[in-house]
Amino acid sequence: MNVLHPVQPEQKTMRVAIVHEWLEHYAGSERVLEQLLIMYPQAALFAIVDFMPGAERVMLGGRRVQTTFIQNLPLARKYFRYYLGLMPIAIEQLDLSGFDLVISSNHAVAKGVITGPDQVHVCYVHLPMRYAWDMQAAYLRQGRMEGGARGLYARWLLHRLRNWDVRSAAGVDAFVANSSYIARRIMKVYRREATVVYPPVDIARFDGPEQPRDDAYVVISRMVPYKRIDLVVEAFRRMPQRILHVAGDGPERERIRKVAGDAPNIVFRGRVSDAEVLAMMRRARAFVFAGEEDFGIAMVEAQACGTPLIVFGRGGACDIVRGEDAPDGPTGVLFAQQDADAIIDAVERFEGMQDRITPQACRINARRFSREAFRQAMFRVVERAMQDVHARGMQAAE
């Protein structure tokens, strides 16, 4: 694969603004931001708030981040999410009038920046504002806001956010989705087509000599409800002849331990270091996951280690796994239902075809999600968007 130079010659004089949601920690969406800043080193950076710790700011390249008025509101450092109702107003106050290209990195309100007819606005969507759309009921339930005055206010606020979310989509010239699943959600919510550009994964970090494989299956994840670690644990409790290592921590930890009971084949590793995660993935017989992810970077990382996947066949997993009938060779097994029986069946199917899944096939599959692949794809999207906006401008002038 040819690696694009981060700066194209014609882009050196182009005025670029990158709008990120908020800067708090280096996580999934910040991986995308990091690559956008490499692509456009001349870009100015905007965010609703910037509370990123000093140790994690290397990716910003010393840039000054221009923030909104929410940065200075009371208790914003700890509770800025509570100002969600003000974020649409805040994002609209950013002055981007001096830029030729605006790229927004959106999972809440970043796409709502105001641009002019001669400016190009490309929006990379990590996910639409799901707590205002199809996840509203779960969000209200989790926050114990199903009834009462707080519940009424939350429903009113989310209704207003939905209206604003749809209206602000009209200001985007080109939508980019991080998976086919998110592209379908963009079509459902905004009635707009989106180009799929997979998030960047540091594939090189997982390169290394092939490790001897253990008999153990692994699940590595934060223990929160939607990850469905409980289903994986229940399935392996019913398969005492198979070993499962569980790594991670979170609010579901004790409940998941109770699901395991005293099963000797299930080993809880707790929170582990990055080096331990890498070692576990390289040695695992397979990586098992039962949650529905918008994309699923951990699955790509497992593939980069040469490790097969046994995962729930919805969401981003469908873009990542090459299934049992893949013409280029399988890299894992998908199961159709979120229940223990489906996981047990998938493990049995995997063991029946394990010899067909090679570490080399898994590693080759992972290369589709590299940082270089991301930059190449984004350059193409931006170039096409600029050509389209220019063509519309020429038509309007005739």
Side-chain angles (χ1 to χ4, degrees):
M1 179 181 292
N2 294 325
V3 179
L4 283 180
H5 192 278
V7 186
Q8 302 290 296
E10 66 272 20
Q11 294 168 343
K12 289 182 179 178
T13 59
M14 183 167 57
R15 297 164 299 176
V16 181
I18 297 175
V19 183
H20 194 60
E21 215 78 68
W22 48 71
L23 290 164
E24 184 182 24
H25 293 293
Y26 182 81
S29 63
E30 284 70 35
R31 299 185 190 206
V32 169
L33 174 63
E34 181 178 30
Q35 295 305 306
L36 292 174
L37 293 174
I38 291 173
M39 290 170 60
Y40 301 101
Q42 79 277 29
L45 180 57
F46 297 82
I48 291 172
V49 295
D50 173 18
F51 297 120
M52 182 170 278
E56 300 180 32
R57 300 185 71 84
V58 176
M59 57 162 287
L60 302 180
R63 286 176 179 79
R64 172 181 170 269
V65 182
Q66 300 180 56
T67 58
T68 70
F69 65 83
I70 293 178
Q71 178 84 17
N72 300 313
L73 292 180
L75 303 178
R77 176 176 291 274
K78 189 173 182 179
Y79 298 111
F80 66 86
R81 289 177 178 83
Y82 284 79
Y83 291 115
L84 178 64
L86 295 176
M87 288 184 184
I89 299 172
I91 207 73
E92 290 175 346
Q93 303 312 305
L94 293 175
D95 181 6
L96 304 180
S97 58
F99 297 96
D100 305 302
L101 170 65
V102 176
I103 303 177
S104 56
S105 168
N106 181 87
H107 58 75
V109 301
K111 79 177 192 320
V113 291
I114 296 174
T115 56
D118 296 325
Q119 294 176 289
V120 179
H121 181 184
V122 175
C123 178
Y124 189 96
V125 181
H126 305 279
L127 69 162
M129 202 186 304
R130 59 184 174 188
Y131 41 83
W133 292 98
D134 54 313
M135 296 294 290
Q136 174 183 279
Y139 170 73
L140 292 173
R141 189 163 51 248
Q142 184 178 358
R144 299 180 180 178
M145 295 183 291
E146 295 175 276
R150 289 178 68 238
L152 181 63
Y153 170 74
R155 293 173 193 276
W156 171 82
L157 175 60
L158 293 175
H159 172 73
R160 288 180 60 87
L161 285 172
R162 280 191 293 274
N163 289 341
W164 177 88
D165 196 28
V166 172
R167 178 179 59 78
S168 63
V172 176
D173 295 298
F175 275 106
V176 185
N178 70 353
S179 67
S180 301
Y181 176 63
I182 293 301
R184 294 197 302 273
R185 294 182 71 154
I186 290 170
M187 174 56 72
K188 180 76 172 181
V189 173
Y190 307 136
R191 312 310 297 175
R192 296 281 300 277
E193 296 282 353
T195 302
V196 176
V197 175
Y198 300 123
V201 181
D202 185 6
I203 300 300
R205 185 165 71 92
F206 300 91
D207 283 345
E210 188 63 32
Q211 300 289 321
R213 295 283 167 172
D214 295 338
D215 284 336
Y217 294 84
V218 301
V219 54
I220 304 171
S221 173
R222 179 162 166 74
M223 294 185 178
V224 293
Y226 83 93
K227 301 283 189 179
R228 301 316 311 264
I229 310 302
D230 57 326
L231 296 180
V232 179
V233 169
E234 179 186 348
F236 277 84
R237 180 178 58 80
R238 292 164 51 185
M239 296 186 289
Q241 73 280 21
R242 297 181 173 101
I243 300 169
L244 176 70
H245 288 183
V246 183
D249 200 356
E252 288 274 284
R253 178 185 58 190
E254 293 306 317
R255 190 179 75 83
I256 292 170
R257 283 183 176 274
K258 288 179 181 178
V259 172
D262 57 359
N265 62 313
I266 301 175
V267 180
F268 285 89
R269 303 285 295 273
R271 183 176 297 174
V272 296
S273 67
D274 289 346
E276 290 173 303
V277 167
L278 182 59
M280 288 178 67
M281 282 188 174
R282 282 181 172 172
R283 294 195 305 264
R285 189 172 184 179
F287 181 91
V288 188
F289 189 71
E292 181 177 336
E293 293 279 23
D294 302 312
F295 178 65
I297 286 176
M299 292 184 245
V300 176
E301 293 174 342
Q303 295 270 271
C305 290
T307 302
L309 299 174
I310 303 173
V311 294
F312 180 46
R314 285 188 61 182
C318 296
D319 286 358
I320 296 169
V321 182
R322 296 198 187 280
E324 295 157 83
D325 300 324
D328 297 332
T331 65
V333 173
L334 297 165
F335 53 90
Q337 301 294 327
Q338 278 183 311
D339 59 48
D341 288 335
I343 297 172
I344 293 170
D345 175 71
V347 170
E348 291 172 349
R349 283 189 285 126
F350 165 74
E351 293 183 354
M353 59 175 285
Q354 187 173 356
D355 292 343
R356 294 172 51 206
I357 303 177
T358 66
Q360 182 183 14
C362 294
R363 293 179 191 276
I364 291 172
N365 181 43
R367 292 174 192 165
R368 297 185 292 132
F369 310 100
S370 70
R371 292 170 167 179
E372 293 82 4
F374 170 85
R375 293 198 295 265
Q376 289 179 352
M378 281 300 295
F379 273 131
R380 289 193 294 268
V381 170
V382 170
E383 182 179 7
R384 186 165 61 246
M386 296 188 71
Q387 290 173 348
D388 290 345
V389 171
H390 177 70
R392 288 199 298 269
M394 294 295 288
Q395 291 174 357
E398 291 177 356

